[in-house]
Amino acid sequence: QVQLVEAGGGLVQAGGSLRLSCAASGLRFSTTATAWFRQFPGKEREYVGGFSRTGGYVSHADSVKGRFTVSRDNAKSIMFLQMDSLKPEDTAVYFCAADRRIITSSLRQAAQYDYWGQGTQVTVSS
């Protein structure tokens, strides 16, 4: 059974940093695409950053490029999202997602992912 568990959300002031983690079980990270998404109230989930199945390709959304960094440890089946220079507009629920079959060109499409964590709230105060 696949399980993704996020941790590390919370309240932070603008300009601060947070590090989210996503621990996976039932998945082999070295052959699984993994990604972070976020969801604003009333909106669809938005891609933040992620890895192709082999981990050889990594991308970040333009809105977070230069401020957020995704990383993962295949051996430990854990993925991270380092968020620096946070802005109030980054306030959202952050989710990790995983899929064994997704192709690289579809990494940014939430509907392509089979597995999701429960989400963790990130609130950035001004």
Side-chain angles (χ1 to χ4, degrees), residues 75-109:
K76 296 181 180 178
S77 294
I78 188 165
M79 180 173 65
F80 300 98
L81 178 64
Q82 178 66 41
M83 304 186 292
D84 299 317
S85 302
L86 281 159
K87 304 175 182 180
E89 51 263 44
D90 293 317
T91 295
V93 179
Y94 284 73
F95 297 87
C96 65
D99 195 273
R100 295 186 180 103
R101 299 167 296 173
I102 195 170
I103 59 176
T104 301
S105 59
S106 297
L107 279 176
R108 298 175 183 241
Q109 300 172 25

Side-chain angles (χ1 to χ4, degrees), residues 10-22:
L11 174 65
V12 64
Q13 286 189 329
S17 298
L18 279 176
R19 189 191 196 205
L20 306 184
S21 64
C22 173

